[in-house]
Amino acid sequence: MMVGFWKPSLVFYTEGQVTYYRAVRKAIDYIKESKNPTSPSVLLLGYPEKFVQLGLQPNQYQLLDSRGAYQLARVPRNAFR
């Protein structure tokens, strides 16, 4: 999942499905409503301020990497409940 503007290169390089949301509220709603028992977490890519806007504290996610202005983190789905 990416919160912010659409980046087609992300889909190309991951070779997988990427869900984009510009609005933070819609991203939170999507995570809360999606019931995927095989995936207890989501990968989230975005600017650091998007993590704050999502209401996430640094201890609620695992920062995997950062490049330039972006951060990639694994966030448990229950962090959004």
Side-chain angles (χ1 to χ4, degrees):
M1 167 179 282
M2 182 168 185
V3 179
F5 60 92
W6 186 64
K7 303 232 355 131
S9 60
L10 184 61
V11 174
F12 176 79
Y13 289 113
T14 61
E15 297 180 0
Q17 181 179 345
V18 178
T19 303
Y20 290 94
Y21 283 98
R22 183 178 278 290
V24 170
R25 180 79 251 156
K26 290 186 182 222
I28 292 172
D29 290 345
Y30 170 80
I31 294 167
K32 285 181 178 180
E33 292 172 8
S34 65
K35 306 285 192 247
N36 186 343
T38 61
S39 178
S41 63
V42 294
L43 288 176
L44 181 64
L45 178 68
Y47 294 121
E49 64 265 15
K50 293 295 182 185
F51 288 76
V52 174
Q53 292 172 5
L54 285 164
L56 296 171
Q57 300 297 318
N59 64 342
Q60 292 180 296
Y61 58 87
Q62 177 188 6
L63 185 60
L64 302 174
D65 203 355
S66 60
R67 291 280 192 273
Y70 299 103
Q71 289 184 334
L72 175 67
R74 180 171 302 283
V75 185
R77 289 179 184 272
N78 62 11
F80 298 97
R81 305 215 186 278

